[in-house]
Amino acid sequence: MSQNKAHAKRGRVAVHLAANRLGVPSVIFFAMSAAAPLTAVTMVITSGYSVTGLIGIPVAFVVAGGLLALFSVGYVTMAPYVVNAGAFSAYVSRGLGRPIGVAAALVALIAYTGIQIGVYGAIGDSGARLFRDWGMDVPWWVIALVGCALVAFLGLQHVDFNSKILAVLLVAEILVIVVYSLGYLSHPAGGVVSTDTLHPETLFSPGVGAVLAVAITAFVGFEASVVFSEEARQPGKTVRVATFMSIGILVGLFTLASWAMSVATGPDQIVQASQTESTNLIYSLATSSLGTSWAMIGRALYVTGALATLIAFHNLAARYTFALGRERVLPAMFGRTSLRTNAPKNSSLVQSALAFVVIVVYAWADLDPVINLFYWWCTSGALGVMLLIGTTSFAVIGFFAKRPSSESAWRRIIAPVLSAIGLTIAVVLVLANFDKLLGVAEDSPLGWGIPAAYLVITVIGLAWGLWLRGAWPEVYATIGMGSKAAIGRSEAEDGAHAELR
């Protein structure tokens, strides 16, 4: 091979992710692992009952899932037109303008990185507790660092290899949720399986905003399907099927688990039990209904489930960083992939380095891995994702308003408008109850400081986008173009190509 050909190969491989590697099941594994079903059941459901004091959590999951499914109508309709690992940022760039797209990109990058790093607190703490049950005292940060090394290694491998690992871990999570739920239902409080928490009227009480806010944040991660569109087979079909299947399965799992827990304790006791037992509730109920062995299995699978979440969010954050580097919104070094696996090598390494530094700092400062790392970082990241989902609803409307399309009015106008309205309300509810979601006092500066930080990030992104428009127009013109940015295709050409598809 000549030097010129070798150089051309390096250039070609360096700016593209691996195409045609992921089918529908693989994308589902990434999306559902990011949503962390067992973590949601263990922490989100119990905190939802205990913080809000309401029993309508199962109904709230159905409502939240319906709203996100409505959002996904326009979201996946746009997928074949914008095949880009930058997902939210690309959608917003193409629908609302490049400066807003740059702002969305920065918010997405920080949100996903924050969630990924926060989960290290969960895996470290839960792993340490598991080892103590086995008679060994291992510091949380040691387990977190081992997890960090493993995720760093996997982040450099083929994306479908990661999906196979997620398949095993996710199936185990789902199995334990279903077994636990059936166990709870077979041992109802008072000998009667009550459906009180499934009645719609339980949701319409003072505090409904907090309940819906809790439910919506439990689904964060489902939107990951679009991030892997460049690596999917038949991106439009794969993303569409994977997105709706992920939402449907998550709604079923969350609704079943939250209802079954209320049956096991009794609807009138579920709030008190959640406040007393906190995140240990599902395991204490499993012990009484299934035995100690199943409770121990669940604790072990919680650790492996957290690992699956780490793998998924690491891949998400790395691909966002890669997408921004490829379009030169961030330094071009981030837009390079491995010659061997086509994984976003430099971006993945940066994510691992950031996680390593945070774990070491938290260990040195002796900060709580659950409250200070998991709850604060993951809740803050979930807020960022919610802001992006809401913004993307408007971007879908803007995208189809600017170009002729054969898509139905339901897909390009009606569903996106309805979801934009619903998600705007949802974002307001999350912001109004953010202190409760974060687990801090109403007067805590974190309650307003974190949302304010996202506002600052947005302003910085807008300013950076506007600066690029004037100072670096050739880079500005490729924002939101994905892999096409590397070969200099114009947006007009891309739009025509999308219509042909």
Side-chain angles (χ1 to χ4, degrees):
M1 181 182 292
S2 68
Q3 184 176 359
N4 288 340
K5 289 183 178 180
H7 178 76
K9 181 179 180 181
R10 284 195 296 271
R12 175 173 56 82
V13 173
V15 295
H16 289 280
L17 295 167
N20 300 316
R21 303 285 296 201
L22 302 177
V24 171
S26 296
V27 177
I28 290 175
F29 297 146
F30 274 106
M32 289 192 60
S33 294
L38 187 53
T39 301
V41 171
T42 303
M43 295 192 167
V44 177
I45 291 177
T46 52
S47 64
Y49 278 125
S50 63
V51 169
T52 67
L54 299 178
I55 65 172
I57 298 294
V59 182
F61 282 125
V62 176
V63 173
L67 176 59
L68 295 177
L70 185 64
F71 158 75
S72 297
V73 171
Y75 188 53
V76 301
T77 298
M78 195 168 164
Y81 298 85
V82 186
V83 181
N84 193 326
F88 283 140
S89 61
Y91 278 38
V92 174
S93 293
R94 303 289 293 278
L96 298 179
R98 292 182 175 92
I100 302 177
V102 173
L106 295 184
V107 169
L109 182 57
I110 290 171
Y112 282 126
T113 300
I115 294 174
Q116 181 220 174
I117 291 175
V119 175
Y120 281 107
I123 195 173
D125 179 76
S126 58
R129 291 175 184 270
L130 191 62
F131 276 112
R132 281 198 293 272
D133 290 340
W134 294 340
M136 293 177 281
D137 188 13
V138 181
W140 74 267
W141 53 268
V142 172
I143 298 169
L145 287 175
V146 171
C148 184
L150 179 58
V151 171
F153 168 76
L154 292 174
L156 301 178
Q157 308 309 310
H158 288 290
V159 67
D160 48 335
F161 177 68
N162 279 259
S163 73
K164 291 173 183 175
I165 293 176
L166 291 181
V168 175
L169 300 180
L170 181 63
V171 169
E173 279 189 78
I174 292 174
L175 177 64
V176 78
I177 292 172
V178 173
V179 170
Y180 274 21
S181 298
L182 294 178
Y184 302 159
L185 293 174
S186 65
H187 293 77
V192 178
V193 176
S194 172
T195 59
D196 288 355
T197 54
L198 296 177
H199 295 168
E201 60 266 23
T202 60
L203 189 60
F204 301 103
S205 307
V208 61
V211 174
L212 289 173
V214 169
I216 289 171
T217 56
F219 287 90
V220 167
F222 86 94
E223 74 289 344
S225 56
V226 175
V227 176
F228 297 96
S229 59
E230 290 187 42
E231 297 156 286
R233 306 183 193 105
Q234 297 180 294
K237 179 182 177 181
T238 298
V239 168
R240 181 175 65 254
V241 175
T243 301
F244 285 113
M245 286 192 67
S246 296
I247 293 174
I249 295 171
L250 289 172
V251 169
L253 286 175
F254 294 159
T255 304
L256 172 65
S258 54
W259 170 54
M261 289 167 64
S262 72
V263 170
T265 62
D268 58 337
Q269 294 297 316
I270 182 63
V271 171
Q272 182 178 347
S274 297
Q275 292 172 341
T276 302
E277 296 268 4
S278 186
T279 57
N280 189 57
L281 178 60
I282 72 166
Y283 304 112
S284 64
L285 292 176
T287 299
S288 60
S289 61
L290 297 169
T292 305
S293 296
W294 269 106
M296 187 63 71
I297 291 172
R299 291 184 186 278
L301 290 179
Y302 178 87
V303 177
T304 60
L307 176 62
T309 304
L310 283 171
I311 295 170
F313 272 108
H314 177 93
N315 277 275
L316 284 172
R319 277 156 179 77
Y320 263 99
T321 308
F322 162 79
L324 294 178
R326 180 174 56 187
E327 294 174 3
R328 291 180 291 173
V329 174
L330 291 180
M333 63 169 286
F334 293 121
R336 298 289 180 266
T337 56
S338 166
L339 290 170
R340 179 176 64 87
T341 65
N342 289 107
K345 181 178 179 180
N346 294 339
S347 300
S348 182
L349 291 173
V350 167
Q351 287 295 318
S352 298
L354 287 172
F356 174 82
V357 170
V358 172
I359 293 168
V360 170
V361 169
Y362 267 65
W364 173 77
D366 197 27
L367 295 172
D368 187 275
V370 175
I371 302 299
N372 302 134
L373 186 53
F374 176 72
Y375 272 121
W376 288 4
W377 285 64
C378 289
T379 304
S380 301
L383 172 61
V385 175
M386 281 301 304
L387 294 170
L388 289 166
I389 292 174
T391 304
T392 302
S393 289
F394 291 96
V396 172
I397 298 169
F399 178 81
F400 286 110
K402 292 188 294 185
R403 53 185 47 76
S405 173
S406 60
E407 304 292 347
S408 67
W410 166 252
R411 290 184 174 185
R412 59 187 171 82
I413 301 175
I414 300 173
V417 168
L418 292 176
S419 70
I421 295 170
L423 286 166
T424 299
I425 296 172
V427 168
V428 171
L429 290 175
V430 170
L431 290 171
N433 295 277
F434 192 64
D435 57 326
K436 297 183 179 68
L437 296 176
L438 207 58
V440 298
E442 288 186 18
D443 59 350
S444 171
L446 290 174
W448 59 266
I450 292 172
Y454 277 118
L455 178 60
V456 171
I457 293 166
T458 300
V459 172
I460 292 173
L462 286 170
W464 179 237
L466 291 172
W467 182 85
L468 286 173
R469 184 170 66 183
W472 210 348
E474 64 272 22
V475 170
Y476 181 82
T478 63
I479 293 174
M481 298 295 291
S483 61
K484 300 171 185 63
I487 56 177
R489 293 186 59 170
S490 71
E491 185 168 1
E493 291 173 330
D494 177 63
H497 181 64
E499 289 301 315
L500 291 174
R501 285 180 295 183

